[in-house]
Amino acid sequence: MTVIPSSLLQQYGASLNRFAKGEYIFHESWPAHFYFQLEEGSIKMFNSGENNDYIQGLFSHGESFGEPPLIADFSYPADAKAVTNCKIWVLKKVDYLRLLRDNPGVHFEFTKMLAIRLCHKTKLLNAMNTQNPEKRILTIIDYFKNKVPHPSPCYEVPFTRQAIADMTGLRVETVIKKVLRLAELGELELLDHKIVRH
Amino acid sequence: MTVIPSSLLQQYGASLNRFAKGEYIFHESWPAHFYFQLEEGSIKMFNSGENNDYIQGLFSHGESFGEPPLIADFSYPADAKAVTNCKIWVLKKVDYLRLLRDNPGVHFEFTKMLAIRLCHKTKLLNAMNTQNPEKRILTIIDYFKNKVPHPSPCYEVPFTRQAIADMTGLRVETVIKKVLRLAELGELELLDHKIVRH
DNA sequence: TATTCTTTATGACCGAAACCATAAGAATGG
DNA sequence: CCATTCTTATGGTTTCGGTCATAAAGAATA
């Protein structure tokens, strides 16, 4: 699951930096200068609006984030913020590009990951633009359920109703109501307010 | 703008195939066996729903499409259909992967393209989930306006209201009404029903 | 343990976009 | 050239999710 082995990162000059809970790693519209890979903790990428936030992604141990602007020279399309205290491997852009050039296997795995992320966003765009709130919510839940192949058939959703709202473009009251409805319909189970998907 | 030179494609065994207007190149959920690059004509990638279609992308001369499933071994997340008569370079998956392996420069350009597409979908997800219909419409128009750097400051939108609806998740009547409103507000101009963006 | 903040819950009301019907102009094809 | 289909347009109606107000349970913090 780890994108690039830490030994290889260190070999190219990466350093392990700490970010406090709530701290921003970068902001929307900033130019990209570094490769980031989470060693510990988790971060969220999101667009902040006046009323709304929209969560673009959630990343934790072993995952890298914010690489596309590094590769194709554009500015960040979203903010990145530490959800918990984090330790993050940080590598300068030129060193990262050199690492990719020197290691075709790593480069190919990276391309593969972009392809998978693109497919995910493709499916999300379809779901969020054409489906009703219930389906949108299930789409998001099932994405995270299947992200890491789970041993148990049932998946305890690790998000608040507000987080689901911020990933589906809905309002928190709507998510609350639709989740109760989905539980009635048997699509979800509620165990002491925790959402469980089978 | 051409992704891979046709000479290189031929060197790896590509053939130039014809597709008639309206013909499908592939369907959602099919496994991916070929690399496709448009020599002539244009195609659309879209999800077809009961009432709704959702257009994921429009591609024309020089552009490739449907590569991510080839790279990361998943099935197509959408249909691809010829909008006009097309000539398309078709290359077998193994040969395409060999081409990428042998040509790091081509591989890097491909990675760059995925990064750009990912950024585009990120921006779309934000716009479509958090913005009002007017902003959604302008977001789509501006994307195509800026896709190829245009000499003239004004851009004649080459889409029907229905196509805009299918890219924004709105209904055609809504697009018609909001476009008229945007013209009143001066955000768009209407020349004989053609939409022009400055 | 008290207090504050977050999260879930509920109901009333409102408004914007969907839905539906209709029509006229434009483009396409036989 | 005529017939058919597509595209743009318009107005009436409905519906669903947003908005607002309120509250209680739970979690975090002092």
Side-chain angles (χ1 to χ4, degrees):
Chain A
M1 190 65 263
T2 299
V3 178
I4 304 179
S6 57
S7 55
L8 192 57
L9 286 171
Q10 281 179 280
Q11 202 177 305
Y12 279 79
S15 64
L16 192 58
N17 290 23
R18 284 164 192 278
F19 290 84
K21 175 178 173 176
E23 197 175 341
Y24 281 81
I25 293 91
F26 53 74
H27 285 274
E28 190 172 339
S29 86
W30 278 13
H33 295 308
F34 301 101
Y35 171 78
F36 298 103
Q37 185 173 309
L38 270 160
E39 180 60 33
E40 209 179 295
S42 61
I43 72 106
K44 76 169 174 178
M45 287 210 43
F46 67 107
N47 297 106
S48 65
E50 343 233 296
N51 320 305
N52 284 332
D53 282 355
Y54 182 72
I55 297 176
Q56 293 281 358
L58 296 166
F59 300 88
S60 53
H61 171 72
E63 296 183 291
S64 64
F65 59 94
E67 326 86 328
L70 229 46
I71 297 292
D73 273 304
F74 50 80
S75 52
Y76 287 115
D79 295 347
K81 188 183 187 178
V83 171
T84 65
N85 290 329
C86 291
K87 290 181 189 169
I88 306 182
W89 288 107
V90 178
L91 181 60
K92 285 217 293 290
K93 173 175 172 171
V94 284
D95 295 325
Y96 174 61
L97 294 178
R98 195 157 46 82
L99 188 157
L100 283 188
R101 201 158 15 84
D102 296 349
N103 299 271
V106 172
H107 181 190
F108 188 78
E109 284 306 309
F110 172 61
T111 306
K112 209 164 166 173
M113 190 183 61
L114 289 191
I116 290 168
R117 282 196 208 158
L118 203 46
C119 178
H120 171 234
K121 292 221 184 274
T122 295
K123 287 175 173 170
L124 276 192
L125 269 168
N126 181 41
M128 300 310 150
N129 276 309
T130 69
Q131 308 281 280
N132 60 35
E134 287 91 332
K135 292 234 182 75
R136 290 201 223 178
I137 292 168
L138 291 178
T139 298
I140 277 291
I141 290 175
D142 288 340
Y143 165 66
F144 285 101
K145 180 173 184 285
N146 300 130
K147 194 176 175 184
V148 180
H150 210 57
S152 156
C154 71
Y155 169 71
E156 195 179 305
V157 180
F159 308 121
T160 63
R161 314 290 194 268
Q162 182 63 61
I164 294 172
D166 290 345
M167 292 190 281
T168 51
L170 300 166
R171 295 279 136 174
V172 67
E173 300 94 327
T174 304
V175 173
I176 288 168
K177 286 164 187 170
K178 296 300 180 185
V179 163
L180 290 169
R181 179 97 191 93
L182 284 165
E184 271 177 31
L185 295 170
E187 296 284 341
L188 296 174
E189 200 178 339
L190 286 178
L191 295 179
D192 191 28
H193 302 154
K194 272 278 151 219
I195 302 169
V196 177
R197 172 75 162 157
H198 295 276
Chain B
M1 192 61 264
T2 298
V3 177
I4 303 179
S6 57
S7 55
L8 192 58
L9 287 172
Q10 282 180 278
Q11 203 175 306
Y12 279 80
S15 64
L16 192 59
N17 289 23
R18 283 165 194 278
F19 289 84
K21 175 177 172 175
E23 198 174 340
Y24 282 80
I25 292 93
F26 53 73
H27 285 274
E28 189 171 338
S29 86
W30 278 14
H33 295 308
F34 301 100
Y35 171 78
F36 298 103
Q37 185 175 307
L38 271 159
E39 180 60 32
E40 209 179 294
S42 63
I43 71 107
K44 75 169 174 180
M45 287 211 42
F46 66 107
N47 297 105
S48 64
E50 343 234 294
N51 319 306
N52 284 333
D53 283 355
Y54 182 71
I55 297 177
Q56 292 282 355
L58 296 166
F59 300 89
S60 53
H61 172 70
E63 296 183 292
S64 64
F65 59 93
E67 325 87 329
L70 230 47
I71 297 292
D73 273 304
F74 50 82
S75 51
Y76 287 115
D79 295 346
K81 188 185 191 176
V83 171
T84 65
N85 291 328
C86 291
K87 290 180 188 169
I88 305 181
W89 288 107
V90 179
L91 181 60
K92 284 217 294 287
K93 173 175 171 170
V94 283
D95 295 324
Y96 174 61
L97 294 177
R98 195 158 46 80
L99 188 157
L100 282 188
R101 200 155 19 83
D102 296 349
N103 299 272
V106 173
H107 182 190
F108 189 78
E109 284 306 310
F110 173 61
T111 305
K112 208 163 164 173
M113 190 182 60
L114 290 191
I116 290 168
R117 283 196 208 156
L118 203 47
C119 178
H120 170 233
K121 293 219 184 275
T122 296
K123 286 175 175 171
L124 276 191
L125 269 168
N126 180 41
M128 300 310 150
N129 277 308
T130 68
Q131 308 282 281
N132 61 33
E134 287 91 334
K135 290 234 183 77
R136 288 201 224 179
I137 292 168
L138 291 179
T139 297
I140 278 291
I141 290 175
D142 288 340
Y143 165 65
F144 285 99
K145 180 172 184 287
N146 299 132
K147 194 176 176 186
V148 180
H150 210 56
S152 155
C154 70
Y155 168 72
E156 195 178 304
V157 180
F159 308 120
T160 63
R161 314 289 195 268
Q162 182 64 60
I164 293 172
D166 290 346
M167 292 190 281
T168 52
L170 300 166
R171 295 281 135 172
V172 66
E173 300 94 325
T174 305
V175 173
I176 288 169
K177 287 164 188 171
K178 295 303 181 183
V179 163
L180 291 170
R181 179 96 193 94
L182 284 165
E184 272 178 32
L185 294 170
E187 296 286 340
L188 297 174
E189 200 179 340
L190 287 177
L191 296 179
D192 191 29
H193 302 154
K194 272 277 150 220
I195 302 168
V196 176
R197 172 73 162 157
H198 295 274

